[in-house]
Every structure is written in structure tokens, then in C-alpha cells.
């Protein structure tokens, strides 16, 4: 099981390319690509903290990726 957390904004096509790339890269250590369970969780800058109980993106301490 693989879960990817990312900012909002990826197209379905991009997400499908991510699924395919993960399946290809995991082939050496996974029994087959069929056993992969992958989830992409998208959210906004307000949903991230990098410690200290603060939302660094919304407080302006970190630039929001893609903006």
C-alpha cells in the first residue's frame, strides 16, 4: 500500500502516470504490479505542517509549491 500526499491540482492523466511509474518501479520487490494499492490524497496549503504545530505555508514561512 502506497499513499501519496500532495497539493491540489494534478490532472487525472498525471495521476495515472504516477500510478504506472510506481507500479513499474516496484516490480523488483513487489510480487506483481497487480498487488499495488496506491492512493493520492490532495489537499491545500492549510493542511500541511512541518513541525512546531504551525502551518508554515499559510503563515508565509514557506513558499507554496506551484504558486
Amino acid at each position: 500500500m502506497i499513499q501519496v500526499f500532495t497539493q491540489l491540482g494534478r490532472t487525472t492523466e498525471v495521476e495515472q502516470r504516477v500510478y504506472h511509474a510506481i507500479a513499474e518501479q516496484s516490480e523488483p520487490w513487489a510480487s506483481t504490479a497487480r498487488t499495488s494499492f496506491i492512493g493520492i490524497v490532495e489537499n491545500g496549503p492549510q493542511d500541511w505542517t512541518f513541525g512546531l504545530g504551525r502551518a508554515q505555508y499559510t503563515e508565509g514561512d514557506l513558499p507554496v509549491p506551484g504558486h
Side-chain angles (χ1 to χ4, degrees):
M1 181 176 172
I2 299 168
Q3 193 158 25
V4 179
F5 293 89
T6 187
Q7 296 283 334
L8 295 168
R10 307 304 185 285
T11 65
T12 299
E13 179 182 88
V14 168
E15 289 183 3
Q16 289 176 337
R17 288 197 320 250
V18 169
Y19 299 147
H20 180 74
I22 291 171
E24 273 189 344
Q25 295 297 314
S26 67
E27 195 66 37
W29 48 268
S31 57
T32 68
R34 292 179 151 197
T35 62
S36 300
F37 179 87
I38 304 167
I40 295 180
V41 179
E42 293 185 317
N43 51 42
Q46 72 281 0
D47 300 314
W48 292 82
T49 180
F50 297 95
L52 305 173
R54 298 176 40 232
Q56 288 86 346
Y57 287 147
T58 58
E59 293 177 2
D61 292 340
L62 295 174
V64 177
H67 292 112

